[in-house]
Amino acid sequence: MENFVLYNPVRILFGKGQTANIDGQLPKDARVLVTYGGGSILRNGVLNEVRTALGTRHVVLFGGIEPNPHYETLIKALPVIEREGINFLLAVGGGSVIDGTKFIAAAACFPGEDKWDLIRHREEHPVQAALPLGTVLTISATGSEMNSAAVVSKAETQEKFGLHSDLLFPQFSVVDPAHTLSLPMRQVANGVVDAFVHVVEQYLTFPVGAMVQDEFAEGLLRTLVDIGPRIMADPSDVDLRANLAMAAMLALNGLIGCGVPSDWATHRIGHEITALFGLDHALTLAIVLPHLLRDQQVYKRGKLVQCGERVFGITAGSPEERANAAIARIEQFLQQMMGAIRLRDYGITLDDASEIWRRFEVRNWHQGERGNIDGKAVQRILTAAL
Amino acid sequence: MENFVLYNPVRILFGKGQTANIDGQLPKDARVLVTYGGGSILRNGVLNEVRTALGTRHVVLFGGIEPNPHYETLIKALPVIEREGINFLLAVGGGSVIDGTKFIAAAACFPGEDKWDLIRHREEHPVQAALPLGTVLTISATGSEMNSAAVVSKAETQEKFGLHSDLLFPQFSVVDPAHTLSLPMRQVANGVVDAFVHVVEQYLTFPVGAMVQDEFAEGLLRTLVDIGPRIMADPSDVDLRANLAMAAMLALNGLIGCGVPSDWATHRIGHEITALFGLDHALTLAIVLPHLLRDQQVYKRGKLVQCGERVFGITAGSPEERANAAIARIEQFLQQMMGAIRLRDYGITLDDASEIWRRFEVRNWHQGERGNIDGKAVQRILTAAL
């Protein structure tokens, strides 16, 4: 096991009706910017719950944060914050709204002229201050409600990058599984796959003898493989949603990644697909992951065999056969949740995709737990994913 | 799943050499009371590591905190804190030192005359303020390094009770598995059993469909059952100690207990045995647990069957047979770790033990996840444990 620091001060208020309890979580005189996305919270009652809980506090709404939140949209919140004297941000939505709000929180306190520097030049411009924020989650997927990371896209340059800082932890997050019942099923499936791949990125690397982290990762994978199809078959089962909410939150709150190598190459390639072609984040992960695992099978074999046995019950065959069988089961699960998961299914040609490996080469990127996912590897992976 | 609040702001610095990093975790001008137990840290180098890390800060030592820390010992720290202008407590030791230091932290800020009121009358006197504290862990067992609870004994009245408060979370905890290598093996075994029973108390109750919490609890139990005997056979294996450190920390940091019923009757009975007869905490748990499980088998059957299958691989027989087989495996594990685990092995007669069920009756206690562990149940359990 590698050395690590584990720190996560987010207060999770989990369960039915918890939105009412945010009243005790922010100052009575807070001036609150409520951020949201396409407006479903205006229709499904969640905004009303939030407004009631905030009572007489000064509340300003800032909607229209799109999936894969755009820098260009988010910076429009800054003059509102200044004009209204906002001192608390409350993100009501899924990972995109929460990620976007984290960026707003940092940008509002960033003295530099170009706020994109916080993302694109994050090493030179680490977050030094941020507005406090809370969240009311409406989609279980990214785990952003319980971590300090945010991913933001810039439409102008077709870029998608992340930042993280201890200053960007939400002070609290309401996770009420009932809030997710009105979601379109495509978004629910996206959430299951997003959480699944978050676990895989921190688990299917190479063994370092971290028994507890492995047990927890495998427990999350088994849970997601079990409940994903059941939720699709019975969208009204709130108990299944509660388990999904737990799994997605714990998939990326820092715990299972403690002291173990992590990969994140599937995410890096997926971010490029989204930035260039606008595909849903989870869909890009489902497209990339099986082929990345096949490409790296020899390096990841130890963990693939372990995953096969403990998650999918695969115990027969040589290590190579078992590793391949595990990848096949993962691919089958992703297909089951997402439907079509090849680039060509979405009208993307190999020529289109070549921009991605070109970017890897231009930026001299070497991703993955072994640093061996370079432009050439991406070319192999996306060719297989065509 | 039940509603819950999950909050744990402790910063864990995990791994070899992390003690050096406490320098960045407390103010440069902190006046630090370093609390410790019997003095092993003076001999094994840990105190030197701590002193080096604290640099030129004003440091005062307060040693002699005994196992099951005594109120009478702990309050002696209060005049030292006042005289020396102490504004930070650094506990260097195991659960007893850390628990005791949490009590000192609260007592130093408690205006009442009788500091025991914080424990014995905790409902009327909740913790309102506490000195900040950090910890350097030397025994993996109680999880106190990552929670807000403390258990303190009063020698005068032979009482042992807990308190907890968000104000008692350590600001940071150093968990360096190498620190545990010089421990007597009895203490190591105690730690394994303590962690094991912590998990059991939050898991072997009744099912509420909390899939992730169950998966995590079962993962911790499998890990402890696996590594416990291996550590006893190879005390020098620091990787096994690292896994024990992870398991013990996560057994009682609030996570696996989220949204599920908890029992704690084994602890309540065990605390009485320690308070009256001075037995090691873990030993009392090992004495009580199998008989409590047998006594409650019919109520706990669902989870016992699940535990049998997922932790011990028991798949044959009727539900009752499988539940009993799971209890037998738990008892076997506890014996393997602790040796003799009957009251009479420690010279305790049924007449001696009768004081415990008398206390349950006098206090009108109804413990356990169903509130059905009363004086009569304790009498049955301790009679079987004789």
Side-chain angles (χ1 to χ4, degrees), chain A residues 23 28-30 51-59:
Chain A
D23 180 41
K28 290 291 175 198
D29 60 351
R51 273 197 173 278
T52 302
L54 289 174
T56 58
R57 292 177 181 88
H58 181 66
V59 171

Side-chain angles (χ1 to χ4, degrees), chain A residues 1-16 18 146 166 209-213 215-216 219-220 222-223 226-227 230 239 242-243 246-247 249-250 255 258, chain B residues 1-16 18 146 166 209-213 215-216 219-220 222-223 226-227 230 239 242-243 246-247 249-250 255 258:
Chain A
M1 203 185 312
E2 302 163 8
N3 280 10
F4 64 83
V5 174
L6 173 62
Y7 173 63
N8 193 320
V10 182
R11 190 182 297 266
I12 299 295
L13 310 176
F14 191 102
K16 194 166 171 52
Q18 289 278 23
M146 202 182 177
D166 277 0
M211 298 171 72
V212 173
Q213 293 92 320
E215 286 278 10
F216 282 17
L220 292 173
R222 280 190 297 265
T223 300
D226 179 10
I227 66 178
R230 287 165 64 197
D239 294 331
N243 282 304
M246 278 297 286
M249 183 172 85
L250 292 165
L255 179 60
C258 277
Chain B
M1 203 184 310
E2 302 163 7
N3 280 10
F4 64 83
V5 174
L6 173 61
Y7 173 64
N8 192 321
V10 182
R11 191 182 297 268
I12 298 296
L13 311 175
F14 190 102
K16 194 168 169 53
Q18 289 279 22
M146 201 180 179
D166 277 1
M211 298 171 71
V212 173
Q213 293 91 320
E215 285 279 11
F216 282 18
L220 292 174
R222 280 190 296 266
T223 301
D226 179 10
I227 65 180
R230 287 164 64 197
D239 294 331
N243 283 305
M246 279 295 286
M249 184 171 84
L250 292 165
L255 179 59
C258 278

Side-chain angles (χ1 to χ4, degrees), chain B residues 191-205:
Chain B
V192 172
V193 167
D194 197 18
F196 182 88
V197 181
H198 287 160
V199 180
V200 167
E201 297 264 38
Q202 299 167 90
Y203 166 69
L204 279 179
T205 57

Side-chain angles (χ1 to χ4, degrees), chain A residues 152-166:
Chain A
V152 176
S153 298
K154 194 173 189 180
E156 181 199 347
T157 51
Q158 292 187 306
E159 293 175 301
K160 183 176 178 182
F161 289 105
L163 87 160
H164 63 94
S165 161
D166 277 0

